[in-house]
Each structure stands twice: as C-alpha cells, then as structure tokens.
Amino acid sequence: MSNDVKIGLVGFGMRARSLTKVAHRPGLGAVVSDVFDIDQDAARNAGQELGFPVTAHATLEALLAADIDAVLIVTPDHLHVEHSIAALRAGLAVYLEKPMAISAEQCDQILDEARRSRGRLYLGHNMRHMPFVRAMKEIIDSGAIGEPKVAWCRHFVGHGGDYYFRDWHADRRFSSGLLFQKGAHDIDILHWLMGSYSSRVAAMGQLMVYGDNPRRSVEDVETPWRLDDNPLSAWPPAALRELNPVVDVEDSSMVIMTLDNGTMASYQQCHFSPDYWRSYTIIGTEGRIENIGDVEEGTVINVWNKRHYGYEPADLVVPVHPEPGGHGGADARIMDEFLGFARSGGPVETSPIAARYAVAAAEAATQSLRSGGEPRQVPPARQEDVSYFAD
C-alpha cells in the first residue's frame, strides 16, 4: 500500500502547474489527486494537461471533503484568507502560496485559525530554499562580515509587464499592490538575513510606464504580442499588448525599512527593467557580501572583508550552482520540506509569522507610498500566534 501524501490543488493557474511538477511523485511520497478551480473548464482539463488522472470538483467544499491529506492553495492573493481558513478547518495540511494575504489583518485571521484548530500551516516562500540565498545566509551566520547592520535589495523585474500587468495582479482590489506579490519574497529574505522584522517603513512609488499604454487590447494592432510568444521580442515595454483593463498598481517602488533590532534595509522594485534578477547587498561590521546572478549558472557571492582603496575584486568568491526543479532548485526543496511537514510536522525553514511580517511591511509601505512617503509603523503579530508557531 502506498504511503503517498494525497494532495488537492486549490486553483489551477501558472504557479499550480509549476508546483505540480515537483509535488506529483507517485510511489515516491506524494500524488496530486484532486483539483478545484472557479474556472470549471480549467479544472476539468487539468488531468489532460498534467498527464495523469485527477478528480475535478465543482466547489471548494467538495474538494476539502475528498480523500486527501493536504492542499496546495495557489489561488489569487485576495482569496487566500477564505481558502486557507476553510482548509485548516477541514483538518488538512496547508501549503499556502506567498504572499500570505493582502493585508496584515487577513494574515492574522489565518494565523488565529491555525492556532485555534492546531492546524499545520506552511507558507510557500520558496526563496528561502534558493541556493544563492542559502549561501548568503551561511556566509552571514559564519561571521565572515561581522554583525549585519544594513542591507538592500534591487529587484529587476524584467518580465514584470508580461506577468503582472495582464491579469488581476494589475488591479489593486485583488493584489493590493506589487510590493505584496513580488516584494513579499524579498522583504522576507531581507528580514531573514538581518535576523529581525521591520518595525517602521517609508516608501515612494509610481505607475510610470504601464499606466499610459493606450494599447490595452488586440483590436488596435495588427500583430499583437502574446505571453506564449518569445518574451524577448516584446521591447520596449510600451510594445506590450493586451494589458489588464484595470491597471492601478505601481510599476516602480522604493522602500526604506527600520528593523526591530536597529538595523536598516531597503528594497527597490522595477517592472520595466530589461534584465530579470535580484541583487542583494549586506554590510556588516567587518565586511559586505553581494550576489551577482541568482538562479542561473554562473551565480556567485562576492565577499569583501579586508580594507581596500577604491574598487578591487572580492576577497572571497563563492560560486553557487542551481539545482533541478524550478527557481534554481527551490521548488523541489520547498516541496520536499512541505511533504515532510504534512506527514509529521516539525521544524521548517519557512515561517507563517515571517510571512505575516512580510505582508505587514508591504502593506505599510504601500500605504506610505500612496500618501506621499509618510512613514508608517508595522503592526506587530499577536503574541499568542507567535508562541504557537514557535512551538
């Protein structure tokens, strides 16, 4: 008899397809057996697209009542609170894709339900499993740069228009803003590397490029570019077609954060950059580190921890090698960890409390940038929730 964890998919979009590639491993630990999506055609066609049989359900309630052990919740962000609470109440192990929700209040509702139901809640912050991030964490923890004091992340979202301005992400009613959808990743990593959460933030941001693009539909052009075409052919950003009818989120944002432990960090995000990667710099009392590249072969971590005049090559260069499984191997690693957590619980690298603070900081920063850069306090998590997940 197989001991595979039986998994149900809640939502069958792009991210669900990626996770299914590493989650479905019949006879080797897990099987994706059931799916629910509000698009019934998508749910019915899931098995054919995935290449193995799944049972499609017409309602979330029907899926949660099926013979499954765990769910992967990969629905649009504004639905996370409803879907995760229902799954926790059903007694299932829950993999909740980041961002946790679109407000700190919604995150607290999810955390409270997990605590009350003694639920197994796991957050899909897969960047904690990216080889380059783990290498940076190991270097910092080794003391190679002394005590970390300041950090920044520059996020060049080269395909931002393709991925985030063609669908619900571009509408703040459903995403709140792209500091949640994309920024939650990096804010969480900045918190993790610096060993503390944001307590106060200030931000500036604008809708600079995609807001005044008049070509929102294919009727106005003879040969519209589509997402399944070569993305490199759509340049400059104004060449994009078929944008979402509503575009009211910022395509460029800059955030300054003061953390609880007195350190500082900044996050800069641009969705019309020609390149697509993240650059982290951490400066400590005895040196600094910086990554060049992130999930591709050739990525390195540069370490400077000797005194220099002007620019000189790094004192130490640490090569980082991506692994199979998507996002440099992070998708496979995070699914391995979740499946072990679904079976028996135990310590994990991701954290529901940390995921909540990433959203809370993103929310405060979004409020700041929409009010002229006014600094905002980040509301702390409830102590009873912190204690539950610490245990």
Side-chain angles (χ1 to χ4, degrees):
M1 178 178 293
S2 172
N3 292 320
D4 288 343
V5 175
K6 296 179 182 177
I7 298 174
L9 289 177
V10 183
F12 190 62
M14 183 182 300
R15 185 59 180 146
R17 291 168 171 84
S18 299
L19 286 177
T20 301
K21 292 178 182 178
V22 292
H24 186 65
R25 44 183 93 167
L28 298 175
V31 58
V32 177
S33 58
D34 296 75
V35 62
F36 161 72
D37 193 289
I38 57 174
D39 181 345
Q40 290 297 291
D41 288 337
R44 283 192 292 267
N45 294 331
Q48 180 177 356
E49 183 174 337
L50 294 173
F52 54 83
V54 296
T55 300
H57 297 277
T59 65
L60 175 64
E61 292 74 17
L63 178 135
L64 297 179
D67 182 22
I68 56 176
D69 307 304
V71 292
L72 306 181
I73 297 178
V74 279
T75 48
D77 302 346
H78 68 289
L79 298 174
H80 285 185
V81 61
E82 172 190 347
H83 292 166
S84 58
I85 286 177
L88 288 165
R89 288 176 178 171
L92 299 171
V94 176
Y95 179 107
L96 179 58
E97 187 55 67
K98 66 85 203 158
M100 188 175 186
I102 60 172
S103 71
E105 180 182 5
Q106 288 185 356
C107 291
D108 289 338
Q109 292 174 25
I110 297 170
L111 295 175
D112 285 352
E113 180 56 44
R115 174 173 51 79
R116 283 193 293 266
S117 62
R118 307 298 295 175
R120 288 167 294 164
L121 175 64
Y122 186 95
L123 268 295
H125 275 272
N126 67 337
M127 276 196 69
R128 291 197 177 205
H129 289 277
M130 287 185 179
F132 90 95
V133 172
R134 298 183 72 83
M136 296 186 85
K137 176 70 170 168
E138 290 172 5
I139 291 168
I140 293 170
D141 290 349
S142 75
I145 63 168
E147 185 180 353
K149 289 294 186 181
V150 295
W152 50 82
C153 171
R154 297 177 297 154
H155 192 180
F156 313 110
V157 194
H159 299 337
D162 312 334
Y163 295 152
Y164 302 107
F165 289 87
R166 293 176 174 275
D167 62 9
W168 57 267
H169 294 92
D171 189 333
R172 66 176 64 177
R173 293 176 299 172
F174 307 125
S175 67
S176 285
L178 295 178
L179 286 177
F180 291 77
Q181 175 55 228
K182 292 299 286 178
H185 261 320
D186 297 291
I187 293 171
D188 175 63
I189 295 304
L190 287 168
H191 287 167
W192 196 41
L193 296 180
M194 300 301 286
S196 188
Y197 299 129
S198 293
S199 58
R200 196 164 189 252
V201 303
M204 301 290 286
Q206 295 182 45
L207 178 57
M208 291 181 165
V209 171
Y210 300 110
D212 59 0
N213 185 340
R215 292 167 293 198
R216 293 283 174 85
S217 66
V218 298
E219 287 78 10
D220 301 326
V221 294
E222 294 181 3
T223 56
W225 179 86
R226 298 177 183 276
L227 188 57
D228 55 1
D229 293 339
N230 176 12
L232 301 183
S233 68
W235 190 260
L240 289 180
R241 311 294 192 265
E242 298 182 275
L243 299 186
N244 197 59
V246 176
V247 176
D248 64 357
V249 298
E250 297 76 14
D251 54 21
S252 186
S253 305
M254 301 181 182
V255 184
I256 303 295
M257 296 168 272
T258 299
L259 279 58
D260 285 328
N261 63 0
T263 61
M264 296 189 302
S266 71
Y267 173 63
Q268 298 116 51
Q269 175 190 95
C270 181
H271 286 265
F272 48 89
S273 171
D275 47 348
Y276 196 176
W277 64 293
R278 295 168 164 93
S279 171
Y280 284 89
T281 294
I282 314 294
I283 305 176
T285 55
E286 299 176 18
R288 80 175 178 96
I289 60 174
E290 178 180 0
N291 67 295
I292 303 298
D294 51 17
V295 298
E296 60 279 326
E297 194 62 56
T299 295
V300 298
I301 311 298
N302 288 330
V303 183
W304 290 266
N305 54 10
K306 296 181 176 63
R307 188 79 179 269
H308 296 280
Y309 288 101
Y311 176 82
E312 292 186 19
D315 301 303
L316 173 66
V317 178
V318 180
V320 178
H321 302 290
E323 302 169 2
H327 291 97
D331 286 355
R333 282 175 173 258
I334 199 170
M335 191 53 59
D336 286 343
E337 185 172 84
F338 170 68
L339 293 175
F341 177 74
R343 291 188 191 94
S344 56
V348 294
E349 290 288 2
T350 69
S351 161
I353 297 298
R356 182 263 183 209
Y357 270 103
V359 169
E363 181 180 29
T366 301
Q367 293 169 348
S368 173
L369 67 83
R370 291 176 184 168
S371 61
E374 176 186 344
R376 296 295 180 107
Q377 296 296 127
V378 178
R382 298 187 180 100
Q383 187 54 51
E384 56 267 36
D385 293 333
V386 173
S387 298
Y388 171 71
F389 287 102
D391 292 339

